[in-house]
Amino acid sequence: MPTETAPAYTYPERDEIRIESVLHALADPVRLRIVRQLAAAETGEIACGNLDVTVSKSTLTHHLRTLREAGVIMGRQQGTARYNSLRLEDLDALFPGLLNGILSAPR
Amino acid sequence: MPTETAPAYTYPERDEIRIESVLHALADPVRLRIVRQLAAAETGEIACGNLDVTVSKSTLTHHLRTLREAGVIMGRQQGTARYNSLRLEDLDALFPGLLNGILSAPR
């Protein structure tokens, strides 16, 4: 089964998420672009291959890892695809208003 | 007159403030500590010498410059003292909720 061979990612628990790490993760144009796309996604998630970024696959992997390890996104493996979504509930609970403030920023 | 010999700092106009720069400026423990102190200050401003940080004067100067150039703080010279304050109105207009979300973060 594909889900059994997928890499086992680790995610910080909610109480392990630090504001400094979240802000650092978000303080990058590419990662901010990813977060905006995830926030706007109808289903709330986007497969890695469908993210609209102009970076190489390995660079994208690095950015997704930074977001994941900071506690900003989660990943869900389905077959060979990995779907990314924002940890909206955790982020809103920890830093109410933060994400909306960032997403409403002028481009 | 001291105000005439004070260094002339430049500040970004409101429409020059970029979310990436603000997030980068805030993604540092010392700078976040400064921002929290300014937010909690009764008068809304704190002189450089009265900020409660454990870094050298030159390091503090660097951190204040980063916050200033990102558009997070303003400075006001009075005699030999420089008073720092948050650009609350600008930040709330550009990124509503951002600062409150950050300030309400668990320590």
Side-chain angles (χ1 to χ4, degrees):
Chain A
M1 286 172 58
T3 51
E4 290 181 346
T5 56
Y9 292 130
T10 56
Y11 300 91
E13 298 289 332
R14 180 185 290 189
D15 64 4
E16 293 172 329
I17 297 175
R18 310 306 306 159
I19 183 67
E20 290 89 349
S21 305
V22 170
L23 293 172
H24 168 74
L26 296 173
D28 175 274
V30 175
R31 292 195 290 268
L32 204 51
R33 190 178 165 90
I34 293 170
V35 167
R36 284 189 169 124
Q37 287 176 51
L38 293 177
E42 273 187 33
T43 60
E45 57 181 13
I46 302 179
C48 294
N50 291 334
L51 285 167
D52 180 18
V53 288
T54 56
V55 296
S56 68
K57 193 178 168 187
S58 66
T59 301
L60 176 59
T61 298
H62 160 75
H63 284 310
L64 290 174
R65 186 173 62 238
T66 301
L67 288 168
R68 189 174 67 238
E69 291 179 351
V72 177
I73 67 169
M74 290 287 277
R76 178 178 71 82
Q77 191 77 22
Q78 183 175 319
T80 57
R82 172 164 285 271
Y83 290 86
N84 307 281
S85 59
L86 292 176
R87 294 179 65 171
L88 286 176
E89 202 177 321
D90 291 324
L91 294 173
D92 284 344
L94 290 168
F95 322 116
L98 172 73
L99 212 53
N100 280 340
I102 291 170
L103 294 172
S104 62
R107 311 294 169 95
Chain B
M1 284 172 60
T3 51
E4 291 181 343
T5 56
Y9 292 131
T10 57
Y11 300 91
E13 297 290 330
R14 181 185 290 189
D15 63 5
E16 294 172 329
I17 298 176
R18 310 305 306 158
I19 184 69
E20 290 89 348
S21 305
V22 170
L23 293 173
H24 168 74
L26 296 173
D28 175 273
V30 174
R31 292 195 290 268
L32 204 51
R33 189 177 165 91
I34 293 170
V35 167
R36 284 188 169 124
Q37 287 176 49
L38 293 178
E42 273 188 36
T43 60
E45 57 181 13
I46 303 179
C48 294
N50 291 334
L51 285 166
D52 180 19
V53 288
T54 55
V55 295
S56 68
K57 194 178 168 186
S58 66
T59 301
L60 175 60
T61 298
H62 160 74
H63 284 309
L64 291 174
R65 186 173 63 238
T66 300
L67 289 167
R68 189 175 67 238
E69 291 178 352
V72 177
I73 67 170
M74 290 286 277
R76 178 178 70 82
Q77 192 77 23
Q78 184 176 318
T80 57
R82 171 164 287 271
Y83 290 86
N84 307 281
S85 59
L86 292 176
R87 293 179 64 171
L88 286 176
E89 201 176 323
D90 292 323
L91 295 172
D92 284 344
L94 291 167
F95 322 116
L98 172 72
L99 211 54
N100 280 340
I102 291 170
L103 294 173
S104 63
R107 311 294 170 94

